[in-house]
Amino acid sequence: METEPAWIAPADPVGPLDILTATDVAAATSTLPAHDRQILGLAQTGLAQKAIATHLGIPVGTVATRLFRARAKLRRVLVRTFEARSREMPYV
């Protein structure tokens, strides 16, 4: 089986995991309000939403909503960081 020469193959796309670091995620997380950081931190430890709800004394549905919104905020910050960083990268 014959393969295409390397110079013909398209370059691998660069994705967020190629550019963003754990430091970027920590910095993005630090920009969020305290209640968002708290619920994200509890979820990150592996607690189920029901356990988080019990810990915080709020309904499970509220936990789900707060997690969804906190993750969306974090995603927006990380996308901006990714876009800025990818503009700085030299083309290969």
Side-chain angles (χ1 to χ4, degrees):
M1 181 176 147
E2 211 171 305
T3 60
E4 294 288 332
W7 59 271
I8 292 179
D12 291 334
V14 175
L17 296 178
D18 298 318
I19 294 177
L20 297 175
T21 65
T23 303
D24 293 324
V25 175
T29 302
S30 73
T31 68
L32 300 177
H35 64 275
D36 287 338
R37 291 193 311 270
Q38 178 188 37
I39 203 150
L40 286 171
L42 290 169
Q44 185 64 30
T45 65
L47 285 177
Q49 289 184 4
K50 185 174 181 179
I52 295 171
T54 301
H55 178 75
L56 297 177
I58 59 177
V60 176
T62 302
V63 170
T65 299
R66 289 183 183 177
L67 271 172
F68 177 82
R69 290 178 180 164
R71 287 174 176 149
K73 289 176 190 176
L74 182 60
R75 188 177 305 112
R76 284 192 294 272
V77 174
L78 289 171
V79 164
R80 285 194 302 267
T81 303
F82 170 76
E83 288 173 345
R85 187 84 44 80
S86 62
R87 281 192 298 270
E88 297 167 359
M89 291 184 64
Y91 291 99
V92 241

